[in-house]
Amino acid sequence: MRDPARTIPRAVPLALGIALAVYVCVAVAVLSVLGADGLGRAAAPLADAVRAAGVPALVPVVRVGAAVAALGSLLALVLGVSRTVLAMARDGHLPGTLAAVHPRFQVPHRAELAVGAVVAVLAATADLRGAIGFSSFGVLVYYAIANASAWTLGPGRGGRLLAACGLAGCLLLAFALPPSSVVAGSAVLAVGAVAYAVRLRRR
């Protein structure tokens, strides 16, 4: 980007606004067709809403759209996590072989393959509902830390107020998740913190 100081502050609220508008439209449409009770019982809410609206021919279209959306989200997450793995490998927190960058495509190919393999194994063997809850807790804690860090960078009251609201919102959502997700996520974070502290002490 030629002028990130100007374009990024504009792009972030615009992107969030578009996403929020889409979510609101979908939620209102599904609730108006299925109702709150029907939505709570639905295994495939969007497909059930289309079927209940009297257009069952669109069910395959909705399923394809959901699959494409899920794959797009998965791709973004895998690429993001693989770059985190690359950084951790470079810092010595993960095996150094994961720090390799492909000479032609300039991507952390080994980290991407490792993350993809872990995701495939989890998807094939674990209860995805539990994995989603655990992942949500980890992501919310990650963004809570990011907001806490932004507090120290805030140039004025407005920046710090925004960071404080973000921190409070992340923590509120994190601890509103099912207790099993909170306990599992907290345990993994605690183990990671202890391992990091032990590694620093040894150094």
Side-chain angles (χ1 to χ4, degrees), residues 6-59:
R6 182 178 63 88
T7 55
I8 291 179
R10 292 182 178 182
V12 171
L14 179 62
L16 289 176
I18 293 172
L20 179 61
V22 172
Y23 272 100
V24 169
C25 290
V26 172
V28 170
V30 174
L31 281 170
S32 65
V33 174
L34 296 179
D37 294 335
L39 180 59
R41 293 191 302 267
L46 297 183
D48 291 349
V50 171
R51 192 179 292 108
V55 281
L58 291 180
V59 170

Side-chain angles (χ1 to χ4, degrees), residues 33-200:
V33 174
L34 296 179
D37 294 335
L39 180 59
R41 293 191 302 267
L46 297 183
D48 291 349
V50 171
R51 192 179 292 108
V55 281
L58 291 180
V59 170
V61 177
V62 170
R63 292 188 183 277
V64 170
V68 171
L71 287 174
S73 177
L74 178 62
L75 177 62
L77 290 173
V78 168
L79 293 178
V81 172
S82 65
R83 278 144 181 81
T84 302
V85 170
L86 169 68
M88 293 179 69
R90 284 179 172 175
D91 291 341
H93 302 299
L94 290 175
T97 185
L98 296 175
V101 176
H102 196 279
R104 178 182 176 187
F105 299 109
Q106 297 297 308
V107 296
H109 57 294
R110 292 180 182 174
E112 289 179 354
L113 291 174
V115 172
V118 170
V119 170
V121 170
L122 288 176
T125 60
D127 183 358
L128 291 182
R129 291 171 297 180
I132 290 171
F134 168 78
S135 174
S136 299
F137 182 82
V139 169
L140 287 168
V141 171
Y142 167 81
Y143 282 114
I145 294 172
N147 279 285
S149 301
W151 168 273
T152 66
L153 302 175
R157 292 183 178 179
R160 289 192 169 181
L161 177 62
L162 188 61
C165 292
L167 174 61
C170 288
L171 293 177
L172 179 65
L173 290 174
F175 288 97
L177 291 168
S180 59
S181 300
V182 175
V183 171
S186 299
V188 170
L189 291 175
V191 170
V194 170
Y196 183 72
V198 169
R199 185 178 182 84
L200 285 181

